Amino acid sequence: MSVLLETHGLTAHYGDFQALFGIDAQVRDGERVALIGANGAGKSTFLRAIAGLMRSAPDAIVFDGTAIGSRSPAEIAALGIALVPEGRRLFASLSVEENLSTGSFNGRKGPWTLARVYELFPVLLEKRRASPGSLSGGQQQMVAIGRALLANPRLLLCDEVSLGLAPAVVKDVYAALRRACDAGGVSVVIVEQDIDLARAMSQRAYCFTHGSVSLSGESAALTREAISAAYFGVSA
Amino acid sequence: MNWVDTIVQGTLLGGLYALFAMGLAVIYGVMRQINIAHGDFIVLGAYLSLGIIAATGLHPFLVIPLAAVVFALFGYALQRGVLNHTLGGDILAPLVVTYGLAIVIENVLQQTQSADPRSIKLPVLDTASLPIGGGLAVGVFPLIMFLAAVAVAIALEIVFNRTRLGVAFRAVSDDREMASIVGVRDKRLFGYASAISFAVIAVASVFMGIKFTFTPSLGPNFLLYAFEAIVIGGMGSFWGTLAGGVILGIAQAIGFALNPGWGILAGHLVFLVVLLVRPTGLFARTA
């Protein structure tokens, strides 16, 4: 498998506060990678940096052979990186269908169309004229995922898709996400608080602690003990 | 006072105020940018139209599309070249820059056009009227002016609610960062919004030039009417802005009918009452 995304010593700052301290990570073609770690460890910041929302050195982020660290979010979207952001961030004054359609603003053609998103999430078809505020949390998450899929991404970044959802809904949402990405060979980076879920969803995992990678490896090979040691920053 | 006549006249005048306001509502709605020079651009547009008429001999109504295209291109360039650089940080920056523009425009016009009152002559139609029964008549020109405002409101509603461009406008207004993540090129989009705003300014300026006699110093008054119409109507729909303009026009007409000195004041009072009682405006769709 060739490498799709690579970061080299990626750093990120919010004003004077440094959130990432030299992250080296890789995502291969068609691979699902999980990011785990405590709140404030830098997982979301890592995704934001890849999406172009943080100021980065040009070659700190390389996507498919192109240095994208200094590209704008819209340019990065056009290259085929889509983000399902934490808290979903649907556009409040747009209908469900309009929200989905914004996914294709990056101008990429591909297998994903409105019709296919409705096939994946039939409930959204009934609600397509509704305001996103009137949907349940799970349905809103489906809109956020559908919006990202309509970007026809090569790399999908998912930030805490399970946040605030009932456990049964989380299972459904992840199952749908997995089907969708496997079918198209889409690479996925998953930020997830539930460690078991993160391991089950991914082939490899990185554990973030205080803005650095404290542990990485094959998801199946990472033991709970190793993860919890890394999680709390205690060296084993 | 003849109430029906007063309200009809006020409604038609309100169409002009709605034209003033809708251009301002476009850019405020999309990028929360306030153009203090809005009124001065209306005045500038009237002088520009006078110039086009003098040079070509075209009928004023035929000058409207021409002026709209010139102003749209200018608006796009102004947004991309200057105003985009003032957005995203301190909210004071766009205010100060456009206030500076207002001063420059007014003084350049004073210098080059003098302070003499001017107006755009409308052949034939300027005194024509239509009887509407009950011994009342409405002027053909004010009626056309009002219908132009309705047409602009319809056009803007279609652009904002029925097109992809409109979806992008509303998305960027809701959440600029998220819009950039899905691929909206916001700076270019702001250029388009400004182009639309300036096209509406051009339409407003020709009708203003025919309706009023104008001097280079009237800009701030027009800006104020535009603000008042938006605040009375509330943000979120151009129908609300149209209604706001009409309410302002009616208030002024009633004020004028009671006492010639009270017209403008009556408009301001209605604005203040709305601001006190319903600060989001009478027909607001979004907060």
Side-chain angles (χ1 to χ4, degrees):
Chain A
M1 278 196 295
S2 62
V3 173
L4 182 65
L5 178 88
E6 206 165 4
T7 65
H8 306 282
L10 177 64
T11 58
H13 299 80
Y14 295 100
D16 289 337
F17 174 75
Q18 186 164 3
L20 295 180
F21 296 85
I23 304 286
D24 297 304
Q26 280 190 352
V27 181
R28 300 184 191 118
D29 255 330
E31 188 182 36
R32 285 191 306 272
V33 172
L35 306 184
I36 51 183
N39 285 329
K43 309 180 298 292
S44 294
T45 303
F46 180 75
L47 297 192
R48 288 175 59 84
I50 295 170
L53 299 173
M54 311 294 292
R55 201 182 293 260
S56 309
D59 50 4
I61 308 170
V62 177
F63 179 69
D64 196 23
T66 310
I68 60 166
S70 57
R71 300 279 184 97
S72 74
E75 287 171 320
I76 288 170
L79 290 172
I81 296 180
L83 173 67
V84 182
E86 186 176 357
R88 306 183 273 270
R89 288 176 71 174
L90 301 180
F91 300 111
S93 64
L94 271 55
S95 69
V96 165
E97 185 157 295
E98 285 171 337
N99 261 287
L100 291 171
S101 74
T102 61
S104 59
F105 277 144
N106 67 348
R108 279 175 63 85
K109 299 275 174 282
W112 286 98
T113 58
L114 266 180
R116 266 200 73 189
V117 169
Y118 288 140
E119 241 171 75
L120 184 68
F121 301 120
V123 63
L124 297 186
L125 183 61
E126 298 158 33
K127 305 261 183 187
R128 68 186 197 277
R129 300 204 186 286
S131 159
S134 70
L135 304 186
S136 72
Q139 291 165 346
Q140 289 183 13
Q141 196 64 64
M142 292 173 197
V143 178
I145 293 170
R147 177 175 66 184
L149 290 173
L150 271 166
N152 282 300
R154 297 183 62 195
L155 176 64
L156 185 61
L157 311 172
C158 297
D159 199 350
E160 306 227 15
V161 166
S162 62
L163 198 72
L165 304 188
V169 178
V170 172
K171 252 179 83 182
D172 290 348
V173 166
Y174 268 117
L177 189 62
R178 190 168 182 160
R179 271 204 313 281
C181 294
D182 280 355
V186 178
S187 304
V188 191
V189 178
I190 298 159
V191 168
E192 177 53 61
Q193 291 285 350
D194 180 335
I195 294 173
D196 290 330
L197 193 56
R199 278 164 59 199
M201 274 296 292
S202 60
Q203 283 111 25
R204 283 190 313 116
Y206 290 91
C207 189
F208 278 49
T209 310
H210 304 310
S212 302
V213 173
S214 53
L215 181 72
S216 66
E218 303 282 321
S219 301
L222 294 179
T223 62
R224 281 194 73 89
E225 290 68 35
I227 291 173
S228 52
Y231 215 97
F232 298 109
V234 183
S235 49
Chain B
M1 174 169 66
N2 183 331
W3 282 95
V4 177
D5 185 50
T6 303
I7 288 172
V8 169
Q9 304 307 335
T11 302
L12 299 183
L13 176 64
L16 181 62
Y17 295 156
L19 283 173
F20 289 176
M22 284 187 283
L24 199 62
V26 167
I27 55 163
Y28 185 75
V30 172
M31 53 256 201
R32 299 284 177 268
Q33 173 186 305
I34 290 171
N35 177 6
I36 297 290
H38 187 80
D40 299 280
F41 279 117
I42 294 172
V43 174
L44 181 66
Y47 281 103
L48 172 77
S49 302
L50 266 183
I52 296 176
I53 291 166
T56 63
L58 281 172
H59 188 280
F61 288 162
L62 295 177
V63 170
I64 292 175
L66 208 60
V69 169
V70 172
F71 254 45
L73 292 173
F74 173 75
Y76 182 83
L78 180 70
Q79 189 69 37
R80 294 299 300 262
V82 180
L83 297 179
N84 271 349
H85 302 288
T86 69
L87 292 175
D90 193 338
I91 57 161
L92 211 54
L95 292 180
V96 172
V97 169
T98 54
Y99 182 59
L101 275 175
I103 292 171
V104 170
I105 293 167
E106 182 176 333
N107 284 284
V108 167
L109 286 176
Q110 294 271 20
Q111 193 67 38
T112 59
Q113 307 294 318
S114 86
D116 295 341
R118 309 288 296 272
S119 75
I120 297 173
K121 296 282 174 291
L122 185 67
V124 189
L125 277 178
D126 54 353
T127 54
S129 65
L130 284 176
I132 54 167
L136 294 175
V138 294
V140 172
F141 169 70
L143 190 62
I144 292 173
M145 184 168 76
F146 181 77
L147 293 176
V150 174
V152 168
I154 291 173
L156 290 175
E157 283 287 323
I158 289 173
V159 167
F160 273 73
N161 293 315
R162 301 262 180 275
T163 70
R164 253 174 104 68
L165 181 65
V167 171
F169 279 151
R170 284 181 289 142
V172 104
S173 166
D174 280 350
D175 186 339
R176 183 178 174 184
E177 186 179 88
M178 191 60 223
S180 73
I181 294 171
V182 297
V184 172
R185 294 178 193 255
D186 46 13
K187 298 208 157 160
R188 190 190 300 171
L189 197 72
F190 292 169
Y192 295 152
S194 199
I196 292 173
S197 171
F198 273 79
V200 176
I201 288 177
V203 176
S205 68
V206 174
F207 284 104
M208 183 283 289
I210 297 169
K211 177 79 187 168
F212 298 150
T213 53
F214 54 91
T215 66
S217 60
L218 277 181
N221 297 31
F222 299 155
L223 174 70
L224 186 57
Y225 296 157
F227 265 130
E228 290 183 341
I230 289 175
V231 171
I232 292 170
M235 287 300 297
S237 106
F238 294 102
W239 295 121
T241 309
L242 181 65
V246 166
I247 290 169
L248 184 63
I250 292 174
Q252 286 193 2
I254 292 174
F256 273 121
L258 292 173
N259 181 318
W262 292 355
I264 307 293
L265 179 66
H268 295 334
L269 287 177
V270 167
F271 158 71
L272 284 176
V273 168
V274 171
L275 203 55
L276 281 174
V277 177
R278 252 186 91 103
T280 58
L282 298 177
F283 309 99
R285 230 193 276 159
T286 54

